[in-house]
Amino acid sequence: MSLDKLLATIKSYTEEANIDLVKEAYYLAKESHEGQYRVSGEPFVSHPVQVAQIMAELELDIISISAALLHDVVEDTEVTTEELREKFGPEIELLVNGVTKLSKIDFKSREEHQAESLRKMFLAMAKDIRVILIKLADRLHNMRTLQYLPREKQIRKATETLEIYAPLAHRLGISTLKWELEDLSFRYLEPDRYYEVAKKIAKNRAEREAYIEEAIKRLNTKLTEVDIEADIYGRPKHLYSIYQKMIKGGKEFNEIYDLTALRVIVSSVKECYQVLGIIHELWSPMPGRIKDYVAMPKSNMYQSLHTTVIGSKGEPLEIQIRTWEMHRTAEYGIAAHWRYKEGNRKDEDFERKISWLRQLLEWQKDLSDAKEFMENLKIDLFED
Ligand code: GDP
């Protein structure tokens, strides 16, 4: 059943893909993991299938998805890398090997552990970024099933996720993975705060939604007048980012107003700026809150115009304006460049966009001391 779902997801974005390869990968995974179980009691193969499902939801290529299905066979079963190469070719062999190597890191102190695993990840990434995408998807599924593990292990995994995997997803611009990894870590690390924030958000939801609906209507009317076609919608903010805002600003929950942000998607850069002007005519902008990440993209390639305005009830309303292309990059980041395409997967654009990664690698190669590396990496990886 889960195989059917996976195949249906793949077919939803590509019709001509080699589905047989995915099926073959699935059957080998199922057969070789036979008799193994997850802590949840499910047959082990459910894990690689779910990891492959996450990859397919990022609309990745067939090779990545097949490798995700096979990502644990070399480590946990009798299947050898030679066998993988023979049956599935060198690309899948390289990806599975990369993931296997990453999971074999022997950690010492926590700091070393962090530095080492990041270093290894960057090295793996230089070979093929898809190794990291599989690793991130693997971690996401493990986080989604964390309830089956003992408390101590939950804390260790959630901490590691918050310190390593979520920042990595952020750096690669894959916000869909980043938000979920953060919220899941938050839930296990600070359950009381997590449920408190979740409950409070639920409380005024209807009222907030009505307020956003009204703003959308007003903006839509204006945009229709000037013939700009736009997709406008309210976007609930993520729990961890709300919590961060509370901590950083030393605020209580009821002091955080912008729990919902408005997003406007248009067809061209020119329209982004036109929409910004129209919004500022409708509502007063808050000083210091206008950010032009269109002209000045973030290092993870994120682009959008940001503004916060004073809405009709005197409450701040956060608005993001972007084109469809920018939206794709904002949601999928680097993964957008590995999406299923016929032929030219390694396009120039992609190479240009990971050049910062290669630079980072070049620079860290000279650093032998893990701690020093960590100190340097912190600057680059954890700060915007
Ligand atoms: P700023 O203060 O306007 O620069 O932006 P913040 O850092 O407060 O982010 C505001 C919102 O913009 C976030 O909640 C995200 O929705 C979005 N955002 C900011 N940076 C990124 C990014 O790198 N990737 C994605 N996908 N969204 C981002």
Side-chain angles (χ1 to χ4, degrees):
M1 232 185 81
S2 42
L3 174 67
D4 290 343
K5 186 179 168 198
L6 177 64
L7 297 180
T9 307
I10 297 169
K11 281 181 188 148
S12 73
Y13 62 90
T14 170
E15 282 184 355
E16 71 269 42
N18 183 1
I19 291 285
D20 286 345
L21 189 72
V22 179
K23 282 188 191 161
E24 256 178 72
Y26 169 79
Y27 290 120
L28 181 62
K30 189 169 156 39
E31 197 181 296
S32 54
H33 287 298
E34 195 68 59
Q36 297 175 346
Y37 293 90
R38 294 274 288 173
V39 189
S40 64
E42 279 184 289
F44 188 86
V45 74
S46 65
H47 169 67
V49 171
Q50 291 309 320
V51 174
Q53 180 67 32
I54 294 167
M55 300 290 281
E57 281 161 15
L58 291 171
E59 299 189 8
L60 287 161
D61 66 303
I62 293 301
I63 299 281
S64 307
I65 294 170
S66 307
L69 283 167
L70 295 165
H71 81 273
D72 275 327
V73 297
V74 172
E75 194 178 0
D76 296 337
T77 78
E78 301 291 308
V79 177
T80 61
T81 51
E82 289 73 31
E83 199 178 334
L84 276 188
R85 186 171 54 233
E86 219 170 88
K87 286 190 176 143
F88 296 94
E91 245 181 318
I92 289 185
E93 182 205 7
L94 180 115
L95 293 176
V96 174
N97 264 345
V99 179
T100 308
K101 276 187 196 141
L102 277 184
S103 57
K104 280 202 180 133
I105 306 163
D106 184 22
F107 304 126
K108 295 185 186 94
S109 75
R110 219 189 86 196
E111 201 162 40
E112 257 174 299
H113 154 162
Q114 232 176 323
E116 263 308 292
S117 46
L118 276 169
R119 199 175 64 80
K120 299 252 160 137
M121 283 202 215
F122 281 116
L123 287 171
M125 193 141 52
K127 282 204 186 126
D128 195 320
I129 191 84
R130 293 175 296 177
V131 170
I132 300 302
L133 299 181
I134 297 172
K135 195 71 198 161
L136 283 170
D138 173 50
R139 176 51 61 116
L140 179 56
H141 182 248
N142 285 338
M143 287 299 293
R144 282 180 183 169
T145 49
L146 207 57
Q147 76 260 38
Y148 301 107
L149 295 188
R151 182 77 189 126
E152 184 205 332
K153 223 167 173 184
Q154 288 177 343
I155 292 173
R156 192 149 53 80
K157 292 275 171 202
T159 306
E160 194 180 67
T161 299
L162 206 52
E163 286 178 353
I164 294 172
Y165 292 90
L168 197 54
H170 174 66
R171 269 297 171 191
L172 298 176
I174 316 170
S175 59
T176 49
L177 296 188
K178 178 206 159 176
W179 304 131
E180 195 178 343
L181 287 172
E182 279 184 353
D183 279 2
L184 285 165
S185 305
F186 177 33
R187 184 166 125 201
Y188 287 98
L189 291 175
E190 305 218 40
D192 293 349
R193 296 298 264 169
Y194 176 89
Y195 289 109
E196 186 190 331
V197 174
K199 219 164 87 191
K200 284 180 170 163
I201 288 179
K203 206 172 153 211
N204 297 318
R205 177 166 280 154
E207 197 184 319
R208 221 170 34 243
E209 279 172 0
Y211 174 59
I212 292 290
E213 273 313 306
E214 185 210 304
I216 291 176
K217 246 192 210 151
R218 270 189 81 183
L219 184 56
N220 245 331
T221 309
K222 278 280 171 201
L223 294 185
T224 310
E225 275 171 31
V226 293
D227 239 5
I228 292 179
E229 225 178 279
D231 226 21
I232 313 174
Y233 56 90
R235 173 186 65 84
K237 299 250 270 202
H238 300 272
L239 300 192
Y240 185 68
S241 71
I242 293 171
Y243 180 58
Q244 284 296 96
K245 217 168 189 174
M246 288 165 65
I247 292 183
K248 281 189 189 152
K251 288 185 175 140
E252 280 307 309
F253 181 84
N254 46 17
E255 290 177 272
I256 311 257
Y257 296 110
D258 46 347
L259 294 176
T260 310
L262 209 64
R263 185 174 287 156
V264 185
I265 309 184
V266 290
S267 306
S268 69
V269 170
K270 191 174 156 204
E271 284 177 349
C272 289
Y273 290 103
Q274 284 175 321
V275 170
L276 182 70
I278 291 165
I279 287 170
H280 289 167
E281 266 180 73
L282 278 176
W283 300 288
S284 295
M286 278 173 73
R289 296 290 305 149
I290 304 164
K291 304 274 168 67
D292 186 349
Y293 297 121
V294 170
M296 287 169 289
K298 288 196 170 188
S299 54
N300 63 9
M301 307 301 152
Y302 175 76
Q303 284 186 296
S304 278
L305 296 176
H306 288 183
T307 183
T308 305
V309 297
I310 309 291
S312 62
K313 284 191 194 157
E315 290 186 358
L317 182 60
E318 191 184 297
I319 305 178
Q320 299 168 344
I321 309 158
R322 54 174 76 148
T323 64
W324 286 104
E325 175 66 27
M326 292 172 198
H327 184 52
R328 236 167 57 94
T329 305
E331 298 281 291
Y332 302 110
I334 216 159
H337 300 275
W338 281 110
R339 298 184 118 194
Y340 188 81
K341 265 190 243 166
E342 275 298 290
N344 65 330
R345 246 186 354 232
K346 284 186 179 167
D347 54 349
E348 277 175 33
D349 188 37
F350 172 75
E351 289 299 336
R352 186 175 64 78
K353 287 180 177 177
I354 63 162
S355 63
W356 67 268
L357 258 181
R358 295 196 195 282
Q359 278 164 20
L360 187 67
L361 255 174
E362 279 301 306
W363 160 76
Q364 67 87 15
K365 253 198 311 214
D366 303 331
L367 301 172
S368 51
D369 182 69
K371 213 170 155 209
E372 186 192 350
F373 172 66
M374 193 58 204
E375 288 308 310
N376 282 292
L377 199 60
K378 262 184 191 155
I379 296 166
D380 226 80
L381 191 71
F382 295 89
E383 282 175 14
D384 266 316

